[in-house]
Amino acid sequence: MKYKEVVEQLKDLIYTWDNIQKVCDYIILWAVLWGASDIHIEPLSSYVRLRYRIDGDLKGILEYQPFLHQGIVARFKILSDLKIDESRIPQDGRISQTIDKKSLDLRVSTLPTVHGEKIVMRIVDKSKKIPELWTLWIEWKNKRLVLSAIELPNGIILTSGPTGSWKSTTLYSALTLMNKIDINIMTLEDPVENQVDGINQSQVKPDIWYTFAYGIRTALRQDPDIIMVWEMRDKETVDIAIEASLTWHLVLSTIHTNSAAETITRLLNMWVQPFLLPATMNIVIAQRLIKRLCSCKKPIPLKDLWKEAIKNVTNAIKLTPREELAERVADKLKNPVFYEPGWCEKCENTGYKWRLGLYEVLEITPWVKDMILNNQSAFNINREAIKEWMISLEQDGILKALNGDTSLEEVYSAAKTQSET
């Protein structure tokens, strides 16, 4: 379904306003059929705006009059089992639906604003198969580091990045690979997005004091080999996760930081004792999602501003014993060609179709442990890590741009971090 057709059909429904139930159903339906990850319904000063987040970008769908908004809010509250008469405080709920043979879970969040209640719905496809780890665009040396880390019997593996950067997908893929008859895997999630046979998954409920920290304590009495914690949100959760890793358990979790090196700083800011990190950390994976070029991509001349990027990648290859990497890109580096988005109906004239991941994997080597114990900054750790063979987000992106998978504009819009500037 094309973008303009979606907009026109929704406009016809909402402006005729003959059936509010049908309007709300179609708001969800077209979001799902068009591959949106989020639905935003936002009351503004003189109108209400409907937007979909598609491939990471928010796209305006339509605008309608404020007097229609209350009915839409009430309908979505009923569907998600929220209090209809409560508009003073935020509420969270869930809608379960089956659309186009897909089992969907919509996480609904309401927020009171000065012009009314805003609604955001995150769409989770529960019927979608968890991707295998080697299909996540984790390439080069990074793949070997991740596979080696998940084979260790204990320690901590963290994935970092902004919301919607596939952190949980990476963890699920790793758990699927480790899911064997002789391994007891337990997860503590909020919410449980994907149900995996053979893994004991538990939903935390902070409103009744079933928190991540409490859940880890309970999980440790269930004879686990591997524990996955949805997010390192507070000091108590981090402390208990570290204790678990010290007692011969492998712990996987996510954390919100800008880069792999800044994860170390974040943990220290939670008042974790510095000597505990070298003893427990295995790897930190930083990741981003960027747009993937459509088949209509066009080659472009090498600009002066990108010649430094080529030099950056060339030096990185020379510094590291990555024979398979050198073989795959050596010829392309001699005559580098980058691409820009084209125009075609397949990508709705945007030049991009779907997304791919950028990754950097910080291995906690002896020299990294020394830098942590010496209270070095994230900037210094990141700089030394790149010198010592770590492929940075920027380098990983440049390699993928060189391969024709994405554009350099996309790489630099996502890969630059504060620790690199």
Side-chain angles (χ1 to χ4, degrees), residues 222-277:
Q222 296 281 319
D223 187 30
D225 298 298
I226 299 170
I227 301 174
M228 192 271 275
V229 184
W230 197 243
E231 185 180 349
M232 296 289 193
R233 291 180 179 174
D234 51 65
K235 183 180 184 301
E236 185 181 12
T237 302
V238 173
D239 287 343
I240 300 173
I242 288 176
E243 290 177 13
S245 68
L246 289 171
T247 55
W248 214 251
H249 300 90
L250 184 62
V251 179
L252 292 78
S253 188
T254 71
I255 192 167
H256 287 277
T257 57
N258 291 325
S259 68
E262 288 182 32
T263 300
I264 304 298
T265 305
R266 173 72 176 131
L267 293 173
L268 293 175
N269 286 342
M270 291 184 179
W271 300 102
V272 175
Q273 294 295 327
F275 67 87
L276 290 174
L277 294 182

Side-chain angles (χ1 to χ4, degrees), residues 40-44 47-51 58 64 69 113 117-120:
H40 291 246
I41 304 175
E42 305 162 305
L44 303 176
Y47 62 92
V48 180
R49 180 172 60 188
L50 172 66
R51 296 191 290 177
L58 276 173
Y64 59 88
H69 184 56
T113 71
E117 287 186 274
K118 175 184 176 181
I119 295 181
V120 174

Side-chain angles (χ1 to χ4, degrees), residues 170-233:
T170 301
L171 293 184
Y172 274 126
S173 298
L175 290 177
T176 302
L177 198 60
M178 296 184 285
N179 187 12
K180 301 176 182 178
I181 190 65
D182 59 340
I183 296 178
N184 182 19
I185 302 176
M186 303 193 66
T187 72
L188 300 162
E189 307 177 46
D190 185 20
V192 177
E193 289 187 355
N194 295 283
Q195 296 184 24
V196 184
D197 288 337
I199 295 178
N200 304 285
Q201 298 172 266
S202 182
Q203 164 96 38
V204 299
K205 299 176 181 178
D207 53 332
I208 58 173
W209 303 104
Y210 181 26
T211 62
F212 286 121
Y214 183 81
I216 299 174
R217 288 194 186 98
T218 304
L220 290 173
R221 295 194 289 271
Q222 296 281 319
D223 187 30
D225 298 298
I226 299 170
I227 301 174
M228 192 271 275
V229 184
W230 197 243
E231 185 180 349
M232 296 289 193
R233 291 180 179 174

Side-chain angles (χ1 to χ4, degrees), residues 139-146 160 258-264 282-287 312-313 315-322 325 358-365 367-368 371 377-397 399 415 417 419-420:
E139 301 178 292
W140 328 119
K141 177 187 177 185
N142 292 341
K143 183 189 295 184
R144 293 202 302 271
L145 288 176
V146 173
S160 69
N258 291 325
S259 68
E262 288 182 32
T263 300
I264 304 298
N282 293 342
I283 59 169
V284 180
I285 306 169
Q287 51 192 92
N312 185 344
V313 174
N315 290 339
I317 292 173
K318 289 179 180 178
L319 282 170
T320 62
R322 296 191 287 269
L325 173 56
L358 300 185
Y359 298 86
E360 70 178 19
V361 181
L362 175 63
E363 184 182 10
I364 310 302
T365 57
W367 61 265
V368 172
M371 295 188 78
S377 66
F379 177 85
N380 288 337
I381 293 175
N382 186 74
R383 181 178 59 186
E384 293 303 316
I386 293 174
K387 288 181 180 179
E388 295 290 336
W389 310 350
M390 183 182 81
I391 300 176
S392 68
L393 286 168
E394 179 183 354
Q395 290 171 349
D396 190 40
L399 288 168
T417 63
S419 61
E420 294 172 336

